[in-house]
Amino acid sequence: MKCYFILFLILIFSSELFAWEIRDKRQFGPYSIFIEHDEEWLWHRVTIKKNHHQIYQLKEVGHYFNIGNEFSDKEKGPYEIKDINKNGIPDLIISENAMGTVCCHILHIIELGKNIKDKKLEAGNNSIRFIDFDKDGIDEIEFWDNLIVGVFASTAGSPLGRVVYRYDRTSNNYKIAPKFMHKNLETNWLNKQKKKIAQEANEKT
């Protein structure tokens, strides 16, 4: 038991025993964003500084981080800090990946206000998309839940549940939005595919 406790302490404090290497760095006005890992690629972290002073840090064992939503070209470039929910406070999007075979993608929407707030959403092993379903200028967040993956069928054959989160001004956080989940909402991609098929059919006739 004593040996396990010692190993646990070594793991916890190992992140401070090694030098950190910068994998990615971005500068947005007064904000500096650092994506780093230790020499063994065991510990990974995100450090946010404002005017050279650290204001926030994420650190995990075995997880890696990316700036932006790694599933969406729209959110990827140019990685600018922006007010995505129109509440007057800039946000930084960070993707976290547990690097497992079936789990897990985590989205961090970090509000860079007077008090830093991390609006963290866990999305299993599926893609995360920003889509403005109700056309109010604020994107909802859509992903597919894998809660019952492998329970009633194989991993590949398990159904996924569609989950949509909507920004709630009262709580200044994202909440599940059932009204967007049970409707057959078509995406721009699906509409484009339909038009393409129709166009190809017309060309053949």
Side-chain angles (χ1 to χ4, degrees):
M1 189 71 180
K2 186 176 181 180
C3 292
Y4 286 114
F5 180 70
I6 293 173
L7 287 173
F8 175 74
L9 290 177
I10 291 173
L11 180 64
I12 293 298
F13 292 105
S14 64
S15 64
E16 305 304 327
L17 299 178
F18 302 104
W20 288 88
E21 299 179 12
I22 297 174
R23 182 167 61 83
D24 194 5
K25 178 183 177 181
R26 306 279 172 169
Q27 186 73 39
F28 308 108
Y31 296 99
S32 302
I33 318 299
F34 300 87
I35 308 292
E36 302 167 290
H37 60 83
D38 68 4
E39 295 172 331
E40 304 298 324
W41 285 78
L42 175 64
W43 284 91
H44 300 257
R45 72 183 183 186
V46 179
T47 302
I48 304 173
K49 295 183 178 182
K50 183 177 182 182
N51 296 322
H52 308 292
H53 297 286
Q54 181 176 313
I55 59 173
Y56 192 69
Q57 188 174 81
L58 286 169
K59 185 171 16 178
E60 289 289 346
V61 177
H63 293 202
Y64 71 85
F65 298 96
N66 285 306
I67 300 172
N69 176 19
E70 60 185 333
F71 295 103
S72 172
D73 291 336
K74 175 184 175 183
E75 300 305 322
K76 269 191 171 180
Y79 301 103
E80 63 184 352
I81 291 175
K82 56 186 175 182
D83 180 10
I84 66 171
N85 45 45
K86 307 295 191 294
N87 68 348
I89 304 172
D91 304 286
L92 171 68
I93 298 173
I94 295 290
S95 295
E96 178 182 347
N97 192 313
M99 296 188 284
T101 55
V102 295
C103 189
C104 291
H105 297 298
I106 302 169
L107 186 74
H108 298 268
I109 301 175
I110 302 173
E111 189 173 84
L112 301 174
K114 185 176 181 181
N115 298 314
I116 303 295
K117 183 174 183 178
D118 186 352
K119 301 164 187 175
K120 177 180 175 181
L121 298 176
E122 298 187 11
N125 65 327
N126 295 283
S127 61
I128 304 169
R129 298 195 301 169
F130 286 73
I131 305 175
D132 187 5
F133 287 122
D134 55 4
K135 309 303 179 185
D136 66 348
I138 301 175
D139 285 344
E140 280 69 51
I141 301 173
E142 178 195 64
F143 59 87
W144 299 85
D145 182 52
N146 63 345
L147 182 64
I148 61 171
V149 166
V151 177
F152 304 106
S154 66
T155 299
S158 295
L160 299 175
R162 182 167 171 272
V163 179
V164 178
Y165 277 83
R166 186 174 190 269
Y167 177 68
D168 177 67
R169 290 189 179 278
T170 303
S171 63
N172 187 27
N173 214 332
Y174 286 86
K175 292 187 175 181
I176 290 178
K179 71 175 183 178
F180 296 127
M181 292 161 58
H182 66 259
K183 292 182 179 179
N184 183 23
L185 296 171
E186 296 183 348
T187 64
N188 290 332
W189 179 86
L190 182 58
N191 289 329
K192 288 179 181 178
Q193 296 304 308
K194 286 185 175 181
K195 289 180 181 178
K196 182 179 178 181
I197 292 171
Q199 184 178 357
E200 291 175 350
N202 290 333
E203 291 174 353
K204 291 179 180 179
T205 57

